[in-house]
Amino acid sequence: MTYKNLLLEQPEPGIYLLTVNRPQALNALNAATLAELALAIAGIAADTAARVLLVTGAGDKAFVAGADISEMVECSADQAQAFSEKGMQVMHALEALPMPVIALVHGYALGGGCELALACDWIIASDRAVFGQPEVNLGIPPGFGGTQRLTRLVGRARALELITTARQVKAAEALAIGLVTQVVPVAELRDAGMTTARTIAAKGPDAVRLAKQAVHRGQDMSLANGCAYETAAFALAFATTDQREGMQAFLEKRAAKFNGH
Ligand code: CAA
C-alpha cells in the first residue's frame, strides 16, 4: 500500500521501518496522517512475521513537531474531542502491537511527536534530539497521552514540571531522566535502531511477545496480579517448540534456530 504522509518499509525480514513523511511541516500529525498511521499499524499488527517496528520521522530536523496546529486552530471543543480521540486510538494501537516498537528520534519530538515517541516501547535518540510538551504555549494541555505516558515514564514531578513550563529537554537530559534509553551520534541512529531490531528478531518470537504483554498488562495491575500474569505467560511459552529448541540449543552449546511456534 502507498501512503501520502508515511513511508512503510521492511529493510530486513521481520523488521518494519515506519517513517512519518511530511518534512515540509516537520512531520506534524494532521488528521490524514493519523488515519494513515492507523492503517499502517493495523497492517503491521496483522503480519505474524513482524518482529520489531522502528518509528521515525523524515527530514533532518524533526521526528514529529506535534499535532498539526493549522488544523487545530479553528477547532470547536467537539472537534478537538474527536481529534484527541483519534490521536489516542493511534497511540493505543501502536502501544498494543505485539512486537517491540522503538522510536528513533533524531530532532524535535514535541507535543504529539513526543507523545508518539512515548507510545513506543522505548526511545533511542540522536545527540540532536529535543523533547518537549509545549502545548501550554498554545493554550491547551497535551492531547495524545502526554500527561499519562510521560508521567509513568519519568515520574509525576518531572512530568508536571516539563508540561507546565513547556521546557525543552535535550538528549543528554532525556537520557538522565530515563525518557530515552540510549543516545547516539545522529549519523548512527538508524544503525543503532537496526542493530537492536536484529538482536530482538533473532530471539524466540513468542517469548518476546509474551514478555512484552506481561510488562504492559502488569503495569495496570497489582504486583500480585502482575506476577500471576507472568506465571501464565511463562507456562504458555512451554507449549511452544521454540522453548524446547532454545533450551536444547543451550545444552548442545549451539545457536538456537527459532521458528516462531
Ligand atoms: N503544526 C503545523 N505546522 C508545523 C508544526 C506543527 N506542530 N510544527 C512546525 N510546523 C511547520 C511550520 O509552520 C513551518 O511551516 P511553513 O514553512 O509553511 O511556515 C514548518 O513546519 C517549519 O517550521 P518552523 O519554520 O517553525 O521551523 P523552526 O526550525 O523555526 O522551528 C520548531 C522548529 C521549534 C519545532 C517549531 O516549528 C515549533 O515550535 N513547532 C510547533 C511545536 C509545537 O508547539 N508542538 C505542539 C503542537 S500541539 C499538540 O501536539 C497537541 C497534542 O498534544 C495532541
Side-chain angles (χ1 to χ4, degrees):
M1 169 150 188
T2 314
Y3 299 97
K4 185 165 171 266
N5 300 318
L6 301 178
L7 293 170
L8 184 59
E9 302 159 82
Q10 266 193 278
E12 289 177 23
I15 302 176
Y16 277 99
L17 176 65
L18 177 60
T19 304
V20 181
N21 188 28
R22 291 184 78 212
Q24 71 283 5
L26 302 189
N27 304 319
L29 301 175
N30 58 3
T33 306
L34 286 175
E36 289 192 352
L37 277 170
L39 277 178
I41 293 167
I44 296 165
D47 180 355
T48 54
R51 300 286 175 258
V52 185
L53 168 62
L54 302 171
V55 180
T56 196
D60 55 8
K61 227 169 166 182
F63 172 74
V64 167
D68 194 308
I69 299 167
S70 66
E71 275 195 0
M72 287 185 292
V73 61
E74 299 291 352
C75 270
S76 66
D78 283 348
Q79 289 166 328
Q81 166 107 18
F83 186 60
S84 172
E85 283 173 358
K86 176 47 79 184
M88 291 292 192
Q89 281 162 13
V90 168
M91 304 306 156
H92 286 312
L94 189 62
E95 195 170 56
L97 280 170
M99 74 292 298
V101 180
I102 307 169
L104 303 181
V105 175
H106 57 291
Y108 291 110
L110 300 177
C114 190
E115 291 163 311
L116 181 68
L118 287 165
C120 299
D121 290 310
W122 67 90
I123 303 169
I124 303 179
S126 89
D127 47 6
R128 294 196 202 148
V130 178
F131 298 85
Q133 296 291 159
E135 288 89 343
V136 293
N137 289 336
L138 303 167
I140 57 171
F144 288 173
T147 62
Q148 304 306 303
R149 292 194 179 88
L150 185 61
T151 304
R152 282 162 171 76
L153 194 59
V154 304
R156 190 173 69 183
R158 273 205 180 96
L160 266 174
E161 184 254 325
L162 292 176
I163 291 168
T164 59
T165 62
R167 184 168 72 78
Q168 293 187 349
V169 170
K170 293 191 176 147
E173 184 184 357
L175 185 63
I177 66 175
L179 178 54
V180 309
T181 58
Q182 192 182 351
V183 177
V184 298
V186 69
E188 293 168 25
L189 184 62
R190 186 176 157 139
D191 282 352
M194 285 300 294
T195 300
T196 306
R198 274 184 212 116
T199 302
I200 296 167
K203 310 299 180 197
D206 284 325
V208 170
R209 184 175 51 77
L210 288 165
K212 173 170 171 171
Q213 254 175 24
V215 169
H216 276 255
R217 300 278 171 85
Q219 276 200 313
D220 298 325
M221 292 179 189
S222 66
L223 180 63
N225 286 344
C227 287
Y229 191 95
E230 183 179 300
T231 292
F234 184 74
L236 259 179
F238 282 74
T240 67
T241 55
D242 276 348
Q243 171 268 327
R244 289 287 146 82
E245 166 60 13
M247 293 190 176
Q248 206 62 50
F250 173 81
L251 295 174
E252 293 169 9
K253 302 189 188 309
R254 61 173 173 82
K257 285 197 198 115
F258 295 114
N259 64 20
H261 302 295

